[in-house]
Amino acid sequence: MPIELSQFRKNLLYAVQAPLVNVMHDLQTLSEIDSLAERQQKKYGKQALFSFIGGIVLFIFAIVVSDKGGIAIALFFTTLALLIFSIYALVRRSKFKHLNIGNYRYNLTKQVVQMLARDMDTASIFDINLSFQAIEKKEHLISTNSHPHKSGWKIDSFLHEWLIIKSQFLDKTRFELRLTGMAKKQYGWKRGSSGKSKYKSKSKSGGLDIDLSLTYPQRRYGAVKIFKNEINDAIKLPQTSILRGLRVTEKAIQISVRLAPQFAEDEYAVYQTITSMFLSGYQVLNLAKLIAK
Amino acid sequence: MQIQLSWIDPNTGNRREPILETPVAIGRQFSAMPPQNNGQRVSRIAIEDDLIADYHALIDWQNQELIIISQNTPNGIQVNGVQLNNGSLDNGDRLQIGSCEIVVNFTPTVSSGECDRMVGFLFKRRCGRTDRIDCPHCNPTYQEDYAYYSGYGDYHSGCWGSDYYYNRDRYYYNPETGNVDFTEADAMSLENEYDGDFEQNMGAS
Ligand SMILES: [Zn+2]
């Protein structure tokens, strides 16, 4: 499914069920939309700035020549026109700012999808939900608590599951990968030195949760159960991440990992963690297969 | 995917080593074997031997495994000396069909020009294409992929799971019950071992 720009502008969501070729094509389109938006944003920003400066210069000039009636009036009108154009350019710029999506999310998705595709049938369908919305949005608010130290202050917590990738490997194992960004925002009134109260807010990232579930064919990997209690040791993660949960059932392995806030948008660290999670899962499954034979 | 079968023809005494595209059918009568299986062209091998049925067995890839399926023949098949009807094949396995011993190789001799680069990431497998030009899947930097998990795929001593790996032949997974057991003979030998240790300890005390 090609990307419908007007629809995408509305919800900043890319959702698709398609094979690798189409997904890669769409991600390429997204990166083109993004770089176009970046360019346009720059262009309109420049236009706004120059027409604003031009307007100011003409305005000063108009004051200087204010005794020469006709010329001064013409200069005032030109100034006005330039300022209006400057505002118009700012409006256009803000429209493109909205489409200037973070490169990190589509670049990461591209890398992960390519890695996974190596063990998939070329015709296999990827089920992808990739959102470019900010984590800190009303829709993603999960709780509001009062600040533990600052009286009258509150803390909003946000959770946004911005990437879900589902599909199936050649060995019929179904995988589901979920990336959930977290953020916190504290806000309230602060009394300044002058005695005036000012409204302040401060946001920070809460890290990134990565959940992977591998639902495997029991016939092939059923022997997993015999080392159920030792699987912890097979999980190897980069230093940027910690293991938060590990569940092994008759049908699936579930691995939950958290990245610290400073790595939550670090493309390399996130890719490395995702890759390590898949490799860890398969270090277990491949041994189970050797035993089941 | 291709495999290489090698055997000595019972009639001529010549070694035969064809490289074949799977699926591969083995039997006595060329015409008795199916030309197609699941829409794929079947490579048919006819061996004139009284102990081989007209259509004896089929070898095919399923889920990244090479498997052999006996075609309800009274004599069945032996894989590395074990009688069975269906089973998976490893590189270098010996098949006994009739009076013929057939060795199975996944990676035919280099002279065939087949691409032996590894593809796949989570389950390693060979490319297997005969044409190396513009190979879409081959990855020459295959080893570098595992930098994030050093020792991936290694279960030797010191690595995770090594005990299970060394004893892997003793385990038996029963898909019907879902249980993993030691095979009986091996369980017995373990027991004896244990008794032996026990007696030794008693004697020492
Ligand atoms: Zn190749």
Side-chain angles (χ1 to χ4, degrees), chain B residues 115-117 119 127-129 131-132 135-138:
Chain B
C115 183
D116 60 355
R117 281 179 181 168
V119 293
C127 165
R129 287 184 12 146
D131 177 12
R132 275 173 187 256
C135 213
H137 306 297
C138 304

